[in-house]
Amino acid sequence: MSYPFEIVEGFKFVGIHTKDYGMSLKERTAPTPEEKTITEDVPFMHGVYDFSMLLGERIYENRPLSYTFEVYDRNYERRKVDEIALKNWLMKPGYSPLYDDFDIGYYWLAKCTGVDIEDDHKAGRLIINVSFDAYPFKKSELPEGHDIWDDFNFELDVSQPVEYQVNGTLNINLLNAGSCSVVPTITVSAAMTIQKDKITYNVPQGESKSESFRLMIGENPMTITGNGTIKFTFYKELI
């Protein structure tokens, strides 16, 4: 189907783009997520004790995302079919990657929570309001340490090695340039140990991942002991 205007932006969700339905984006809102605050109010003390950053970073609730689109079609029956198709496309899946054209190189992990459609008979259009519940951070599509120069962002990205040859003991410092800690996938050719923040982690041969081993925001110095190759695979997350 051809349209009398150029559709510039929208989003892709479970393999379908809003352009496929001729949806023209009119408004997008992505407010910052609310923080999960943990405070203790002590009598006769000014202010409160704030334990929200006990783990070294701020913790957030899921965030709402909302979009308003218009679809123009003078055919009433066609608009009714579009309404049914849109609701079934968006409301069936659970949490899935949501690729917003505004956030190039990133995606949201989101679930559609509502599709509100108004049929404007006089104008021959549908006004579509779509809402999502999303993980608070948008995730990079490319892993850290990638060498795709055309996609490198000098303000947000960091050029660093993520694969190393270990012969005995090796000191490295991985930088997490994101807004929250992340759990890397570690791939080693032989069993090794990693000492980080005065804790020793045993890394089995092959590919492994553990919630107890996290790369905190900023620098992550560590000492690796073993013989062979080790690779860290992780993706930056931004607020």
Side-chain angles (χ1 to χ4, degrees):
M1 182 182 294
S2 61
Y3 304 95
F5 49 83
E6 181 183 3
I7 299 176
V8 180
E9 288 188 346
F11 61 75
K12 185 177 182 180
F13 189 60
V14 292
I16 300 175
H17 197 284
T18 50
K19 292 180 182 180
D20 298 338
Y21 284 101
M23 298 168 66
S24 176
L25 180 64
K26 298 303 177 184
E27 185 178 1
R28 158 202 293 116
T29 59
T32 52
E34 293 186 10
E35 184 178 5
K36 292 183 178 180
T37 57
I38 303 173
T39 60
E40 186 67 31
D41 192 358
V42 179
F44 311 109
M45 185 192 82
H46 294 292
V48 296
Y49 285 116
D50 190 341
F51 301 100
S52 302
M53 292 188 64
L54 195 61
L55 299 179
E57 61 182 303
R58 297 173 71 176
I59 307 299
Y60 295 96
E61 303 281 358
N62 272 10
R63 69 193 302 166
L65 305 175
S66 62
Y67 302 83
T68 299
F69 294 91
E70 290 180 341
V71 174
Y72 288 87
D73 195 327
R74 288 291 179 182
N75 187 301
Y76 175 75
E77 294 300 327
R78 179 69 257 173
R79 295 200 305 273
K80 292 292 98 180
V81 172
D82 281 348
E83 179 174 345
I84 296 172
L86 289 171
K87 289 179 178 178
N88 279 274
W89 160 42
L90 295 166
M91 293 300 295
K92 282 196 300 184
Y95 285 96
S96 304
L98 171 68
Y99 299 91
D100 189 320
D101 295 333
F102 181 79
D103 300 304
I104 298 176
Y106 296 85
Y107 69 91
W108 302 97
L109 187 61
K111 178 178 70 174
C112 185
T113 55
V115 182
D116 182 26
I117 300 180
E118 176 187 347
D119 194 327
D120 184 347
H121 296 276
K122 292 183 178 179
R125 65 173 180 169
L126 295 176
I127 303 171
I128 306 162
N129 294 296
V130 184
S131 56
F132 288 92
D133 179 68
Y135 175 71
F137 300 94
K138 54 188 173 186
K139 300 186 177 186
S140 174
E141 294 184 57
L142 295 174
E144 291 298 282
H146 71 80
D147 57 358
I148 305 176
W149 187 248
D150 289 343
D151 292 325
F152 189 84
N153 186 306
F154 286 91
E155 294 186 13
L156 301 175
D157 295 337
V158 174
S159 179
Q160 63 178 328
V162 293
E163 185 171 0
Y164 304 88
Q165 179 67 41
V166 183
N167 297 301
T169 300
L170 178 67
N171 295 316
I172 68 170
N173 189 4
L174 287 178
L175 183 63
N176 174 11
S179 300
C180 66
S181 63
V182 294
V183 178
T185 296
I186 305 176
T187 306
V188 294
S189 60
M192 298 185 188
T193 62
I194 299 176
Q195 187 173 37
K196 178 178 177 293
D197 300 326
K198 298 181 180 180
I199 300 175
T200 299
Y201 301 89
N202 295 309
V203 183
Q205 182 180 15
E207 184 177 289
S208 63
K209 188 174 184 178
S210 173
E211 287 290 332
S212 64
F213 184 87
R214 306 186 71 90
L215 298 178
M216 305 307 292
I217 302 170
E219 296 184 346
N220 290 268
M222 63 189 79
T223 300
I224 306 170
T225 302
N227 289 281
T229 60
I230 184 170
K231 181 179 181 180
F232 298 85
T233 303
F234 60 103
Y235 296 80
K236 179 167 62 265
E237 299 183 9
L238 297 177
I239 196 111

